[in-house]
Amino acid sequence: MAMASFLQPDPYILVLTGAGFLIALVAWLPLALRRLPLSLPIVCIGLGAALFSWPGVGLDPSPLDWPEFTERFTEFVVIIALMGAGLKLDRVFGLRRWEVTWRLILVTLPLSIVAITVLAGTWLGLPWPVALLLGAVLAPTDPVLASDVQVGPPKSGEEDEVRFGLTSEAGMNDGAAFPFVHLAIALALAAATGEPWAAKWLSYNVLWEIGAGVAGGWLIGRAFGWVTFRIPAETKLAQTGDGLIALAATFVSYGLTEIIHSYGFLSVFVTALTFRHAHRSHDFHREMHDVTEQIERLAMMVLLLLFGGALARGLLEGLSWADVAAAGVILLVIRPVTGLAGLWGFPAARAEKLTIAFFGIRGVGSFYYLAYGLNHMEVAGAERLWAIVGLVVLLSVLMHGLTVTPIMRLLDRRQGRDPDADSVPPPGLQGPGAGD
């Protein structure tokens, strides 16, 4: 009896032990993988697949079985990542300074949605509203899994054109893709009921939700900036050194803008940019960034462990060869081509444009949008959609994770910098606007 008890420990103790190992990996793995052609997401997915393949683990983490949890947990991870991305950016917001961002948002993103929609509606034979949903799900780049190609912490100097473009794109295109998700939902509803959809979609989902999201994010960022940096010294929050205020700003921004039915993702990113602008040179931004980054990494590891478990439990079983080929086209053709189309005429080195076009990483944001779409519209064949999106994310994690370190180090050396030198921020691409 004693031996049986010894071999079957309390589940609570197992959870604590597993959490301890997980937190240790969060702290150690980024350092261990820094110079290797391997990424933290790859390791997390592999660990999750191994864990949920263990005979004693009975939980099936498939998103099909946990639709509400999947939507809410991915939502949480994305908003934390958006706050971190906004706090990282040293470059002052502006039309010319952010030219690379506008090109990726206003040209690359819509072209990607159209191309993926056409691919899904013709090659894959999906109904057009579902094809549009898939296009909106898979077009945005990801602020969570793209950390290896993002700018460094605040005031670190790691803000070349490539990293700035990919960071700002990931921060902004999650909100920019949401109207297309709602368009797919509206088209599906109109097909079932015959109700008109265009006026409501344009006035509410586009004009109101984008406008209110931007305005709300700006107001909340201004308020937190004033409370943190501007009120009398004995009570301003920057004196505490407690970076948790960034988490408070994230939740308040997302919550208040969602209450008024606007795009919370867009609001959080705008709040982060406005918060950062309140006192750009203050060291407290680094403390806030560090807190959000730690929470983001921990949440990301949990999510990717579950994703690895879902893969091990058969998430991709519904795939056909056409689906596999389509996933390859999305990553290897549509993103690079639309990325280069958006950067056409942009005054940057060819290697920089190719790098930005290639690293269109798909990840947690795609999971959120698919979960949201499926929870708000009737879709036949949800298993196939999850299989396609899961495959695209898996291939993106593998392809981009294995190439990011050697490519960025190579580009760094081509600019005459040593990526292994502690005094030189890796990588070091210089593009237009770097000195603005």
Side-chain angles (χ1 to χ4, degrees):
M1 185 71 177
M3 179 60 68
S5 177
F6 177 78
L7 294 176
Q8 295 181 347
D10 189 329
Y12 170 72
I13 300 300
L14 287 177
V15 170
L16 285 182
T17 306
F21 278 112
L22 182 63
I23 295 171
L25 288 174
V26 167
W28 174 73
L29 273 177
L31 295 175
L33 300 175
R34 181 180 176 185
R35 298 177 183 178
L36 297 177
L38 194 65
S39 68
L40 180 60
I42 294 176
V43 175
C44 294
I45 292 172
L47 288 174
L51 175 65
F52 285 92
S53 297
W54 197 262
V57 179
L59 176 67
D60 185 352
S62 171
L64 291 161
D65 296 335
W66 307 90
E68 291 293 336
F69 174 81
T70 300
E71 179 184 338
R72 293 308 182 188
F73 188 40
T74 53
E75 178 183 48
F76 170 80
V77 179
V78 171
I79 63 174
I80 296 297
L82 290 173
M83 176 58 68
L87 291 175
K88 289 178 183 178
L89 293 171
D90 292 331
R91 190 176 303 189
V92 177
F93 185 82
L95 291 178
R96 193 182 74 82
R97 296 187 185 96
W98 282 54
E99 180 182 353
V100 63
T101 313
W102 305 129
R103 287 170 170 268
L104 293 170
I105 297 300
L106 299 178
V107 179
T108 298
L109 178 65
L111 286 179
S112 297
I113 293 175
V114 171
I116 297 172
T117 300
V118 172
L119 178 73
T122 55
W123 189 347
L124 301 183
L126 296 176
W128 286 108
V130 179
L132 177 58
L133 176 64
L134 193 64
V137 164
L138 291 175
T141 56
D142 191 66
V144 181
L145 303 186
S147 60
D148 289 334
V149 291
Q150 290 185 358
V151 302
K155 299 173 60 181
S156 66
E158 301 177 27
E159 190 159 304
D160 53 80
E161 201 69 23
V162 171
R163 290 190 166 228
F164 171 79
L166 291 170
T167 305
S168 56
E169 179 196 13
M172 195 169 288
N173 68 5
D174 272 319
F178 225 143
F180 297 96
V181 175
H182 280 128
L183 178 57
I185 296 172
L187 290 175
L189 181 63
T193 64
E195 295 181 2
W197 57 269
K200 179 181 178 182
W201 175 77
L202 183 60
S203 62
Y204 180 68
N205 296 124
V206 178
L207 297 178
W208 165 255
E209 294 198 306
I210 290 178
V214 171
W218 181 81
L219 289 172
I220 295 166
R222 290 275 292 179
F224 271 90
W226 183 80
V227 171
T228 304
F229 300 113
R230 302 299 181 189
I231 62 176
E234 64 272 11
T235 55
K236 63 184 178 184
L237 288 171
Q239 295 294 109
T240 68
D242 193 343
L244 281 174
I245 191 63
L247 194 63
T250 303
F251 294 159
V252 170
S253 178
Y254 193 77
L256 289 182
T257 50
E258 285 289 322
I259 287 173
I260 62 172
H261 301 284
S262 60
Y263 292 131
F265 283 176
L266 194 56
S267 173
V268 169
F269 188 62
V270 172
T271 293
L273 295 177
T274 310
F275 201 171
R276 178 70 197 279
H277 184 69
H279 195 325
R280 306 195 67 82
S281 61
H282 203 289
D283 292 337
F284 188 53
H285 290 296
R286 181 63 181 262
E287 296 168 4
M288 291 192 293
H289 165 266
D290 291 345
V291 168
T292 58
E293 185 179 47
Q294 289 169 349
I295 297 172
E296 175 193 341
R297 282 209 314 249
L298 184 59
M300 178 200 73
M301 288 193 70
V302 173
L303 181 60
L304 292 181
L305 286 173
L306 296 174
F307 176 49
L311 293 173
R313 294 298 180 93
L315 182 67
L316 306 184
E317 287 180 354
L319 290 171
S320 66
W321 284 111
D323 299 332
V324 175
V329 170
I330 290 169
L331 292 173
L332 297 175
V333 178
I334 291 179
R335 165 62 191 198
V337 170
T338 58
L340 290 175
L343 297 173
W344 182 269
F346 182 63
R350 183 169 178 267
E352 292 181 335
K353 291 196 246 186
L354 287 172
T355 303
I356 293 173
F358 175 70
F359 282 111
I361 300 174
R362 271 56 178 169
V364 180
S366 295
F367 291 152
Y368 169 76
Y369 279 131
L370 182 57
Y372 180 91
L374 293 178
N375 287 341
H376 288 81
M377 60 188 283
E378 294 292 333
V379 176
E383 296 87 353
R384 186 186 181 194
L385 291 181
W386 271 113
I388 294 171
V389 172
L391 178 64
V392 170
V393 173
L394 176 63
L395 292 178
S396 178
V397 169
L398 293 174
M399 180 177 74
H400 295 122
L402 292 173
T403 58
V404 61
T405 298
I407 287 177
M408 299 305 270
R409 287 168 67 86
L410 176 62
L411 288 172
D412 195 34
R413 290 193 180 96
R414 289 181 60 179
Q415 294 294 324
R417 302 189 184 191
D418 180 8
D420 297 323
D422 292 336
S423 60
V424 179
L429 295 176
Q430 293 296 328
D436 288 351

